[in-house]
Amino acid sequence: MSKDKLILPTDFPQLKNDTFLRAARGQKTQHVPVWCMRQAGRYLPEFREFRAGKDFFDTCRSPEGCCELTLQPLRRFDFDASIIFSDILVVPQAMGMEVQMVPGKGPTFPDPLKDPEDLQRLKTKVDVKKELDYVFKAITLTRHKIEGKVPLIGFSGAPWTLMSYMIEGGGSKTQSRAKAWLYRHPEASHMLLKRLTDVVVDYLLGQVAAGAQVFESSAGILGPREFKEFALPYMRDIARRVKDQMKEAGQDVPMIVFAKDVHYALEDLSQSNYEVERISEVVQKMLQSFGTQRYIANLGHGMYPDMDPESVAAFVEAGTPPLAPR
């Protein structure tokens, strides 16, 4: 296949392992499908070698680099899905905010949002196809290069998660500044969340057009009342709008949701057009407790840099003996 053909979202290789997609749709599977958030990450020596000396977001903007990092864990482990290497903060970047990856600190916004007047700094209309074209090209290239081995997951942060980073200026355990916005500036908060929702919808639809076969969306830490007012409505809106437009186009792409620490909202989320809430349990207890159907095995919030690749292999293999061979 020519190089030009690899960047066209057409004529993708036939999918050979649809176990992940079948589980997401509630269909019968021969084994519990397994994947890990951040499965392309610093715990892999080949990942560290590839990333050495490269700026993080420069790598995110390289379709070839993202493709290589996405494929690395598939060469080691028998995962049932891949997830495109990227970052949720490409969305605030597309809206006009500067984000840097600072060694030893993580993602940093040099000039975060401090008050509602700062919303004027954001682009009023985001051309997602233009601003995030590099992500779409990475997805298309990876779909071809993966040769149908497993499905490819595309993803986006949920509006509240993105809003928190944009206000906190980076990661935060308390999210105190962002939460203060919700109380001090509720109208501005909803305005920002609505704008983020519009961008995320276009972003996810662009990922489908590029070849993504599953979606993942994250939700941050809020209390029940705040979650139902400032997070859940926008997550529902994203799911509804994306699903409706995919249906019109004759596409069927499952959407999965990772709502960290919002166990109280699982019932609400299950009624929000998302197919799956992921389960984090010790593998054997998980199999004994949940059986072997209608869920996808994962590792909570994913892979950490200090994890041993051999432990990851043990996790993937742990669910195999009681089930049908892979």
Side-chain angles (χ1 to χ4, degrees), residues 199-217:
V199 175
V200 169
V201 168
D202 288 344
Y203 184 36
L204 292 180
L205 288 170
Q207 291 185 48
V208 167
Q213 295 162 287
V214 192
F215 291 142
E216 189 273 335
S217 184

Side-chain angles (χ1 to χ4, degrees), residues 234-283:
Y234 298 100
M235 295 177 72
R236 282 177 167 169
D237 192 34
I238 289 169
R240 178 187 58 78
R241 290 166 61 184
V242 170
K243 287 279 190 178
D244 286 350
Q245 292 192 52
M246 286 194 301
K247 186 176 181 180
E248 290 179 6
Q251 298 166 318
D252 178 20
V253 178
M255 298 182 71
I256 61 179
V257 59
F258 176 65
K260 187 173 184 289
D261 293 336
V262 288
H263 52 279
Y264 50 79
L266 291 181
E267 184 174 352
D268 287 325
L269 287 169
S270 69
Q271 300 171 7
S272 300
N273 284 319
Y274 292 97
E275 277 81 3
V276 181
E277 286 80 44
R278 292 200 309 276
I279 301 163
S280 173
E281 296 285 344
V282 176
V283 178

Side-chain angles (χ1 to χ4, degrees), residues 39-53:
Q39 62 190 35
R42 286 176 290 169
Y43 72 103
L44 292 175
E46 57 267 37
F47 179 96
R48 297 193 298 270
E49 180 180 355
F50 185 89
R51 286 270 300 107

Side-chain angles (χ1 to χ4, degrees), residues 76-106:
R76 276 183 175 260
F77 312 117
D78 196 15
F79 286 129
D80 291 291
S82 58
I83 181 166
I84 193 68
F85 178 83
S86 187
D87 193 271
I88 65 171
L89 298 182
V90 299
V91 170
Q93 287 179 331
M95 297 176 74
M97 296 195 74
E98 180 183 0
V99 189
Q100 303 171 351
M101 189 62 71
V102 179
K105 184 178 180 181

Side-chain angles (χ1 to χ4, degrees), residues 41-233:
R42 286 176 290 169
Y43 72 103
L44 292 175
E46 57 267 37
F47 179 96
R48 297 193 298 270
E49 180 180 355
F50 185 89
R51 286 270 300 107
K54 297 184 179 72
D55 177 78
F56 177 81
F57 285 109
D58 282 348
T59 303
C60 288
R61 286 186 283 270
S62 166
E64 294 78 12
C66 291
C67 177
E68 168 59 23
L69 294 173
T70 301
L71 296 177
Q72 284 181 349
L74 297 182
R75 298 178 185 133
R76 276 183 175 260
F77 312 117
D78 196 15
F79 286 129
D80 291 291
S82 58
I83 181 166
I84 193 68
F85 178 83
S86 187
D87 193 271
I88 65 171
L89 298 182
V90 299
V91 170
Q93 287 179 331
M95 297 176 74
M97 296 195 74
E98 180 183 0
V99 189
Q100 303 171 351
M101 189 62 71
V102 179
K105 184 178 180 181
T108 301
F109 289 69
D111 192 14
L113 304 178
K114 299 180 179 65
D115 52 54
E117 286 69 28
D118 285 338
L119 296 182
Q120 298 177 21
R121 291 162 35 202
L122 303 178
K123 295 177 181 178
T124 54
K125 177 61 177 176
V126 179
D127 185 344
V128 171
K129 186 175 181 180
K130 175 184 176 182
E131 297 293 340
L132 296 172
D133 181 61
Y134 57 88
V135 179
F136 305 145
K137 287 181 177 177
I139 288 173
T140 299
L141 178 62
T142 305
R143 271 293 304 277
H144 284 295
K145 291 282 191 179
I146 213 168
E147 297 179 339
K149 182 177 180 181
V150 293
L152 177 63
I153 302 171
F155 68 92
S156 171
W160 160 250
T161 304
L162 299 172
M163 173 180 169
S164 176
Y165 272 100
M166 294 163 74
I167 293 171
E168 296 288 345
S172 170
K173 293 183 178 180
T174 63
Q175 299 177 342
S176 58
R177 293 177 184 173
K179 288 179 180 177
W181 258 62
L182 303 182
Y183 294 105
R184 295 173 184 169
H185 314 298
E187 291 185 5
S189 295
H190 281 296
M191 183 184 300
L192 176 55
L193 290 165
K194 176 64 169 62
R195 291 173 68 175
L196 284 164
T197 295
D198 291 342
V199 175
V200 169
V201 168
D202 288 344
Y203 184 36
L204 292 180
L205 288 170
Q207 291 185 48
V208 167
Q213 295 162 287
V214 192
F215 291 142
E216 189 273 335
S217 184
S218 302
I221 304 171
L222 288 174
R225 187 184 71 81
E226 292 83 2
F227 183 82
K228 287 190 175 184
E229 181 177 355
F230 295 103
L232 182 62

